[in-house]
């Protein structure tokens, strides 16, 4: 029995299925990441767990309280940070924080230790309207507001979306420190590179979870060899790689192409020869270890093919 | 209790930090009163009366002088030919023409009868009718004098009704619209503002956070209502002061009763606002619903502009479900007639029942989830 238990949750919006039989469990004191692209159903799942939506089927519980029948108990003990900035833009930083502290029946002073670290960065802007803060600052303020009543479970829906790389890193450091206080954190993100920062992750797409485990565990199950091919022009290169013998699939990752290969058929040197033969110049091929994104793409292809 | 106080403080901050809201809430009653008071007046002032006839005729001159002396009527142009009337009306230079037949005085004295024709500009039937009534009144007065003069000292057998408008002898339209505007403004401020402020929280997503908090939905509702309740009370005071000292509308009944009934009406309006906020998901929808679905029917059906009694019976039933109608009736009774609560028990019970119903339905429909 975990702190958060999700059991066969189904949620439909009219004809559209937003969540299709979702199940997972989160242990106490871990950072559990819900990884998936936009529209995968992450926000819907968060709202069900935060008792804001009713599931059409299945059961979910937070700290043993059912999200449907015992929602009042859950509302007292969780901190929730919605995906979009949801504070009062016309209130100042301090007023926002004080308001959210008060409606949870506490004060900023009483829980200052809990938020000190983040709030100290915001304090110079205490009198500034929340609407006039930068993106990163807004997210920090929202986190402060979600933390100010010392919740034991924290739901963070895409907390780093639209935040610059430096602030994101900082944000994760903050999460680690919150976790060290025994708080269970459920976080969602569309950024695959953040997946490896979580203790455990669930990969979700089109309302269904197709893999749950530690980031390392998921990566270790990657069934193919992986080559990163860099060269120009990118699109013809991608097209050509897909026709090569032994290449299972190939996707572009920024300026590179990641080619999943059957190592018994092809390899680094063979691919180099083939590329030269096809007239590509100034390219490089190197072997790499797969990341969570490679796994995600691989698994989503397998799922799609499985469905056919 | 601390939660509640902090919530109310927050609401007041929202209001006072948004200049537009402050402007709408505090200035609108003043603008409306002034607008209705001076621009949209249904009274007749300085109607222009053209005379067609011979001014050298003594009887004609006597009647013309009488018309000229009337405060509401002014003599326009005097000419001889009825064919010119059309041109004057078309150019908008005259509102009514009084035509005397030729040798008016001679015929009156020798035959004992002479004819006058009053021609009104029917393109604006309402004012035409009122102006014609005024002119007829003046001529009737003259008729009475002639009767007395001819039959000697005492009054003759003919009787002319003496019309007196009780409570509002001057027929001032401000007596009608001030209670009307009170109903309209309170309805607008309470309903529209409450609806918009709740829907705004839905739109920005802050409602999500409020619902996730341990705060009970009923407290969210009450905290949302209190600031607008206060503002409405301020508006009520503004309107009363304006109507008393600028419009000179009397307050003949009890102020306490007036305030008591107004507060009931304000609660009804707040409940309507809540209801609108439940069914709309964006501020635009809320504004449209309260604008088209609330203000318009209130203006049309509450008797401010069109008297309910002259509506087709179906529309009269529609007007019965408008809370503002009952409120306005009571306000008129208190302010103009100066009667006590005993004369408006029926209206008050209807308003109270509506309030209770609206409050019950809207709090029931207010969801504690998304």
């Amino acid at each position: 029995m975990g702190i958060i238990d999700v059991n066969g949750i189904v949620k439909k919006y009219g004809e559209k299925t937003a969540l299709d039989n979702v199940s997972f469990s989160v242990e106490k004191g871990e950072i559990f990441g819900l990884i998936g692209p936009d529209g995968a159903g992450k926000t819907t799942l968060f709202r069900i767990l935060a008792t804001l939506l009713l599931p059409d089927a299945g059961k979910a519980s937070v700290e043993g309280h059912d999200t449907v029948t015992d929602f009042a108990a859950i509302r007292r003990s969780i901190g929730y940070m919605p995906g979009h900035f949801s504070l009062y833009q016309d209130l100042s930083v301090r007023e926002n924080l004080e308001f959210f502290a008060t409606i949870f029946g506490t004060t900023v002073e009483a829980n200052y230790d809990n938020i000190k670290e983040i709030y100290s960065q915001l304090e110079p802007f205490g009198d500034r309207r929340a609407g006039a803060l930068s993106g990163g600052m807004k997210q920090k303020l929202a986190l402060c507001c979600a933390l100010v009543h010392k919740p034991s479970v924290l739901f963070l829906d895409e907390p780093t979306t639209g935040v610059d790389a430096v602030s994101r890193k900082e944000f994760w450091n903050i999460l680690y420190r919150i976790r060290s206080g025994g708080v269970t954190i459920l976080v969602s993100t569309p950024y695959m590179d953040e997946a490896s920062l979580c203790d455990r992750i669930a990969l979700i797409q089109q309302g269904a979870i197709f893999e749950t485990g530690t980031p390392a565990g998921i990566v270790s199950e990657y069934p193919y060899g992986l080559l990163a091919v860099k060269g120009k022009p990118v699109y013809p290169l991608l097209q050509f790689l897909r026709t090569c013998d032994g290449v299972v699939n190939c996707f572009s990752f920024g300026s590179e192409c990641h080619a999943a290969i059957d190592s018994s058929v092809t390899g680094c040197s063979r691919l180099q020869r083939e590329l030269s033969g096809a007239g590509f110049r100034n390219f490089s091929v190197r072997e790499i270890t797969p990341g969570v994104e490679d796994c995600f793409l691989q698994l989503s292809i397998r799922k799609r093919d499985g469905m056919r | 209790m601390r939660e509640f106080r902090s919530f109310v403080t927050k609401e007041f901050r929202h209001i006072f930090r948004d200049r537009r809201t402050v402007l709408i809430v505090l200035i609108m009653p003043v603008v409306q009163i002034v607008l209705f008071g001076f621009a949209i007046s249904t009274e007749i002032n300085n109607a222009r009366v053209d005379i067609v006839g011979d001014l050298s005729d003594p009887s004609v001159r006597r009647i013309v002088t009488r018309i000229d002396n009337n405060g509401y009527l002014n003599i326009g142009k005097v000419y001889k030919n009825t064919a010119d009337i059309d041109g004057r009306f078309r150019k908008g230079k005259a509102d009514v023409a009084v035509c005397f037949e030729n040798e008016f005085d001679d015929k009156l004295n020798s035959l004992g009868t002479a004819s006058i024709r009053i021609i009104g500009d029917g393109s604006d039937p309402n004012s035409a009718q009122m102006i014609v009534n005024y002119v007829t009144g003046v001529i009737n007065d003259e008729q009475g004098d002639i009767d007395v003069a001819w039959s000697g000292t005492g009054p003759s057998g003919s009787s002319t009704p003496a019309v007196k408008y009780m409570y509002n002898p001057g027929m001032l339209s401000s007596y009608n619209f001030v209670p009307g505007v009170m109903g309209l403004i309170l309805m607008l401020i309470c309903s529209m503002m409450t609806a918009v402020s709740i829907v705004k929280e839905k739109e920005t997503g802050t409602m999500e956070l409020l619902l996730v908090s341990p705060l009970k939905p009923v407290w969210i509702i009450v905290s949302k209502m209190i600031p607008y309740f206060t503002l409405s009370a301020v508006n009520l005071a503004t309107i009363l002061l304006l109507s008393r000292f600028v419009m000179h509308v009397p307050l003949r009944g009890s102020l306490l009763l007036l305030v008591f009934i107004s507060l009931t009406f304000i609660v009804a309006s707040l409940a309507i606002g809540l209801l609108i906020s439940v069914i709309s998901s964006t501020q635009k929808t809320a504004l449209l619903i309260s604008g088209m679905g609330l203000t318009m029917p209130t203006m049309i059906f509450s008797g401010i502009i069109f008297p309910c009694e002259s509506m087709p019976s179906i529309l009269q039933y529609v007007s019965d479900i408008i809370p503002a109608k009952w409120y306005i009736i009571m306000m008129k009774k208190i302010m103009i007639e100066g009667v006590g609560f005993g004369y408006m028990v029926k209206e008050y019970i209807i308003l109270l029942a509506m309030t209770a119903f609206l409050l019950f339905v809207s709090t029931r429909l207010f969801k504690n989830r998304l």
Side-chain angles (χ1 to χ4, degrees):
Chain A
M1 195 76 174
I3 288 290
I4 304 170
D5 264 315
V6 180
N7 225 323
I9 290 285
V10 177
K11 179 72 188 176
K12 289 191 166 113
Y13 293 115
E15 286 292 293
K16 204 177 167 334
T17 305
L19 290 175
D20 185 9
N21 196 18
V22 168
S23 303
F24 63 88
S25 169
V26 180
E27 300 302 324
K28 184 170 170 54
E30 69 175 350
I31 298 181
F32 190 94
L34 209 54
I35 318 291
D38 296 333
K42 302 190 295 288
T43 298
T44 304
L45 185 57
F46 268 86
R47 284 183 172 162
I48 287 174
L49 290 174
T51 74
L52 287 169
L53 282 178
L54 297 173
D56 293 323
K59 271 197 171 312
S61 69
V62 177
E63 293 188 308
H65 302 292
D66 189 272
T67 53
V68 178
T69 54
D70 208 3
F71 67 91
I74 295 180
R75 288 179 182 189
R76 271 194 293 277
S77 63
I78 63 163
Y80 172 51
M81 181 174 155
H84 41 96
F85 181 67
S86 313
L87 299 174
Y88 296 102
Q89 313 247 4
D90 53 343
L91 297 188
S92 73
V93 169
R94 191 171 301 121
E95 285 164 351
N96 263 300
L97 194 60
E98 274 166 4
F99 174 70
F100 283 105
T102 322
I103 62 169
F104 277 93
T106 177
T107 58
V108 176
E109 292 74 35
N111 288 318
Y112 191 74
D113 287 346
N114 211 31
I115 56 164
K116 189 172 66 187
E117 203 167 355
I118 322 165
Y119 190 54
S120 59
Q121 300 175 34
L122 288 166
E123 261 176 331
F125 311 105
D127 289 324
R128 194 186 281 192
R129 302 270 165 100
L133 289 175
S134 69
M137 286 288 185
K138 277 182 182 170
Q139 294 304 83
K140 280 176 200 160
L141 176 58
L143 185 62
C144 270
C145 291
L147 277 173
V148 73
H149 59 285
K150 270 195 181 149
S152 48
V153 182
L154 201 52
F155 293 102
L156 308 173
D157 190 6
E158 301 198 6
T160 54
T161 298
V163 174
D164 68 77
V166 178
S167 297
R168 269 165 67 185
K169 203 163 171 177
E170 224 174 40
F171 206 90
W172 276 94
N173 286 333
I174 293 167
L175 293 192
Y176 289 139
R177 261 169 260 146
I178 296 169
R179 178 188 59 182
S180 65
V183 176
T184 310
I185 303 174
L186 180 65
V187 59
S188 75
T189 176
Y191 301 126
M192 300 290 167
D193 54 332
E194 289 187 338
S196 54
L197 302 172
C198 304
D199 295 325
R200 283 200 306 139
I201 55 174
L203 303 181
I204 181 169
Q205 194 179 34
Q206 289 173 357
I209 287 179
F210 49 80
E211 190 77 340
T212 312
T214 61
I218 288 177
V219 166
S220 70
E221 281 171 20
Y222 193 72
Y224 307 111
L226 196 66
L227 297 178
V229 185
K230 200 169 183 170
K232 272 182 178 169
V234 177
Y235 191 63
L237 182 68
L238 187 68
Q239 294 286 59
F240 176 76
L241 284 169
R242 281 180 177 161
T243 62
C244 287
D245 224 15
V247 174
V248 184
N249 59 52
C250 186
F251 295 100
S252 81
F253 275 64
S255 60
E256 291 182 331
C257 294
H258 285 191
I261 54 163
D262 185 345
S263 302
S264 61
V265 178
T266 187
C268 206
S269 47
R270 181 175 163 188
L271 211 58
Q272 263 168 345
R273 276 198 308 279
E274 283 178 347
L275 284 166
S276 296
F280 287 97
R281 295 284 170 269
N282 297 326
F283 59 84
S284 69
V285 181
R286 63 194 167 88
E287 235 169 296
I288 54 166
T289 50
V292 173
E293 188 164 7
D294 298 300
C295 299
F296 189 94
L297 288 168
Q298 166 59 33
L299 289 163
S300 67
I301 290 170
R302 203 178 66 193
K303 186 183 159 225
R304 191 187 65 201
D305 291 346
M307 268 157 59
R308 262 191 210 146
Chain B
M1 204 55 215
R2 225 167 50 83
E3 288 95 320
F4 177 62
R5 224 180 23 240
S6 147
F7 205 127
V8 173
T9 316
K10 170 190 89 84
E11 286 306 316
F12 272 115
R13 284 190 176 132
H14 286 322
I15 295 168
F16 288 116
R17 285 189 187 168
D18 183 5
R19 281 214 194 99
R20 250 184 334 175
T21 316
V22 178
L23 213 67
I24 292 174
V25 172
L26 296 178
I27 306 297
M28 193 164 64
V30 179
V31 172
Q32 287 226 7
I33 287 280
V34 169
L35 221 87
F36 275 92
F38 296 109
I40 316 173
S41 168
T42 50
E43 295 157 28
I44 301 298
N45 270 321
N46 304 325
R48 293 152 305 173
V49 185
D50 273 9
I51 304 295
V52 185
D54 187 5
L55 266 192
S56 59
D57 187 305
S59 291
V60 172
R61 211 165 46 231
R62 214 169 43 242
I63 296 175
V64 170
T65 314
R66 231 177 224 277
I67 292 174
D68 204 17
N69 286 341
N70 186 295
Y72 302 103
L73 306 172
N74 286 341
I75 298 295
K77 201 176 163 194
V78 181
Y79 39 89
K80 293 257 159 74
N81 198 338
T82 46
D84 295 343
I85 297 171
D86 187 39
R88 294 272 297 168
F89 278 0
R90 276 170 197 261
K91 285 183 192 146
K93 294 204 166 154
D95 300 305
V96 68
V98 182
C99 314
F100 297 92
E101 71 174 312
N102 287 333
E103 286 135 34
F104 185 81
D105 189 54
D106 288 348
K107 282 188 185 158
L108 191 65
N109 285 324
S110 57
L111 303 174
T113 171
S115 57
I116 299 175
R117 182 189 291 168
I118 303 170
I119 298 172
D121 180 359
S123 59
D124 181 357
N126 281 340
S127 17
Q129 195 168 13
M130 283 174 103
I131 296 169
V132 169
N133 281 344
Y134 276 125
V135 176
T136 317
V138 173
I139 293 170
N140 279 344
D141 284 351
E142 175 68 17
Q143 172 91 52
D145 285 358
I146 295 170
D147 286 347
V148 172
W150 284 1
S151 61
T153 46
S156 69
S158 82
S159 65
T160 337
V163 181
K164 184 192 170 201
Y165 293 99
M166 270 177 82
Y167 314 118
N168 186 5
M171 290 293 279
L172 300 173
S173 58
S174 56
Y175 282 38
N176 178 43
F177 77 76
V178 165
V181 168
M182 277 167 65
L184 201 62
I185 297 265
L186 293 181
M187 187 88 181
L188 218 66
I189 301 283
C190 303
S191 312
M192 195 172 75
M193 296 315 227
T194 324
V196 167
S197 92
I198 293 178
V199 174
K200 192 176 176 189
E201 301 237 11
K202 278 198 207 173
E203 222 176 63
T204 55
T206 42
M207 191 53 97
E208 247 175 279
L209 287 177
L210 293 183
L211 291 177
V212 165
S213 78
L215 213 59
K216 287 227 164 59
V218 65
W219 287 112
I220 299 181
I221 294 171
V222 175
S223 335
K224 279 276 173 197
M225 283 181 164
I226 289 220
Y228 293 103
F229 187 85
T230 318
L231 283 178
S232 307
V234 173
N235 282 332
L236 186 67
T238 318
I239 298 174
L240 283 178
L241 287 173
L242 271 177
S243 71
R244 181 75 189 84
F245 296 107
V246 180
M247 299 293 143
H248 304 294
V249 175
L251 174 54
R252 299 200 174 105
S254 139
L255 179 65
L256 207 68
L257 182 62
L258 182 139
V259 169
F260 171 69
I261 291 174
S262 296
L263 294 186
T264 313
F265 180 63
I266 288 173
V267 174
S269 306
L270 289 170
I272 294 178
L274 192 59
L275 204 60
I276 294 174
S277 79
V278 170
I279 54 177
S280 44
S281 53
T282 65
Q283 294 183 64
K284 250 185 227 154
T285 324
L287 269 175
L288 267 175
I289 294 179
S290 45
M292 302 300 285
L294 211 62
T295 318
M296 285 286 283
T298 304
M299 280 189 88
I300 293 171
F301 291 117
S302 63
I304 305 176
I305 297 178
F306 310 111
C308 295
E309 290 76 14
S310 59
M311 289 175 192
S313 55
I314 291 181
L315 292 185
Q316 285 197 33
Y317 288 126
V318 174
S319 79
D320 283 347
I321 60 164
I322 308 271
K325 176 187 168 177
W326 304 104
Y327 173 69
I328 293 169
I329 291 176
M330 285 188 276
M331 284 303 107
K332 280 185 188 163
K333 284 191 176 178
I334 297 173
M335 294 173 77
I336 314 298
E337 292 178 24
V339 294
F341 187 68
Y343 292 86
M344 55 193 84
V345 173
K346 180 189 127 199
E347 285 88 353
Y348 187 73
I349 286 174
I350 293 174
L351 183 66
L352 198 65
M354 283 177 169
T355 309
F357 174 76
L358 286 168
L359 216 51
F360 177 77
V361 171
S362 54
T363 44
R364 260 309 169 83
L365 287 178
F366 190 86
K367 284 174 288 193
N368 62 0
R369 295 176 198 273
L370 281 182

